[in-house]
Amino acid sequence: MIRPFLVGFATTLRHIFKKPITVNYPEQKVPVFPKYRGKQVLMRDEHGLEKCVACGLCPTVCPANCIKLVPGEDEQGNRYPLVFDIDEFRCIFCGYCQEVCPEEAIHMGRHYENAEFNRARFVYDLERLTAQTHPVSELWDPAHPRGE
Ligand code: SF4
Ligand code: SF4
């Protein structure tokens, strides 16, 4: 009768002085793994233009069919995205879009706080994707681990 009590008490004593592994979210945040795949970031070049050349590879490879791309072309024949939307509700965060991009224009981001009050807000357009400031995932690109 007393033995289970002592065992339980010993377990409590063993844990009572250990550092807690819980955090006071959202004031405190758990750092995410460097290869974490979260909300994408679209990169700009040194002139502030989108690095994306609207090649169409990422919407082609996307298994969730959640990237909408409408390509445009300027007078010099340079291609750029007129429309680039990602439906983050459908995205499965596989990272194929980053892996396939020949321009390193799209990167998975180390970001998980995607809560919204409206479904339509989960569709990120070109402006929102290029405005993301969170760090990017280090997956598959050891030469440019931060997507620079
Ligand atoms: S992470 Fe995968 S599912 Fe999401 S947009 Fe990229 S290719 Fe599509
Ligand atoms: S693969 Fe890269 S360059 Fe091609 S459309 Fe996607 S983001 Fe743009």
Side-chain angles (χ1 to χ4, degrees), residues 9-21:
F9 195 60
T11 303
T12 304
L13 278 180
R14 236 189 356 264
H15 287 276
I16 205 162
F17 298 111
K18 280 189 180 167
K19 197 173 169 221
I21 58 168

Side-chain angles (χ1 to χ4, degrees), residues 14 17 36 39-40 53 56 61 81 105 114 122 127-128 136:
R14 236 189 356 264
F17 298 111
Y36 181 87
K39 187 171 61 191
Q40 294 84 352
V53 294
V61 80
N114 288 6
F122 285 95
E127 197 179 329
R128 283 176 81 199
V136 299

Side-chain angles (χ1 to χ4, degrees), residues 92-123:
I92 57 170
F93 301 100
C94 62
Y96 286 1
C97 48
Q98 174 177 336
E99 190 175 9
V100 79
C101 181
E103 299 294 323
E104 297 186 0
I106 186 166
H107 286 257
M108 304 305 291
R110 280 186 273 157
H111 186 265
Y112 54 88
E113 293 170 302
N114 288 6
E116 298 285 356
F117 289 103
N118 182 333
R119 285 181 75 99
R121 288 280 300 165
F122 285 95
V123 178

Side-chain angles (χ1 to χ4, degrees), residues 4-140:
F5 168 76
L6 290 176
V7 170
F9 195 60
T11 303
T12 304
L13 278 180
R14 236 189 356 264
H15 287 276
I16 205 162
F17 298 111
K18 280 189 180 167
K19 197 173 169 221
I21 58 168
T22 50
V23 297
N24 291 321
Y25 182 84
E27 286 79 21
Q28 291 177 301
K29 299 189 183 173
V30 180
V32 292
F33 188 64
K35 292 184 179 177
Y36 181 87
R37 300 191 299 258
K39 187 171 61 191
Q40 294 84 352
V41 182
L42 275 183
M43 299 296 178
R44 292 186 185 275
D45 64 15
E46 61 275 18
H47 308 295
L49 301 170
E50 298 91 15
K51 287 176 96 176
C52 174
V53 294
C55 68
L57 281 175
C58 60
T60 303
V61 80
C62 176
N65 197 21
C66 64
I67 302 176
K68 180 179 172 189
L69 171 71
V70 178
E73 199 170 306
D74 66 16
E75 305 81 49
Q76 287 81 43
N78 300 316
R79 289 168 61 92
Y80 62 94
L82 280 172
V83 174
F84 193 109
D85 294 345
I86 298 183
D87 186 343
E88 301 287 348
F89 246 176
R90 297 188 63 175
C91 175
I92 57 170
F93 301 100
C94 62
Y96 286 1
C97 48
Q98 174 177 336
E99 190 175 9
V100 79
C101 181
E103 299 294 323
E104 297 186 0
I106 186 166
H107 286 257
M108 304 305 291
R110 280 186 273 157
H111 186 265
Y112 54 88
E113 293 170 302
N114 288 6
E116 298 285 356
F117 289 103
N118 182 333
R119 285 181 75 99
R121 288 280 300 165
F122 285 95
V123 178
Y124 280 70
D125 62 10
L126 186 63
E127 197 179 329
R128 283 176 81 199
L129 286 167
T130 49
Q132 300 301 312
T133 54
H134 52 266
V136 299
S137 170
E138 296 182 7
L139 78 167
W140 299 313

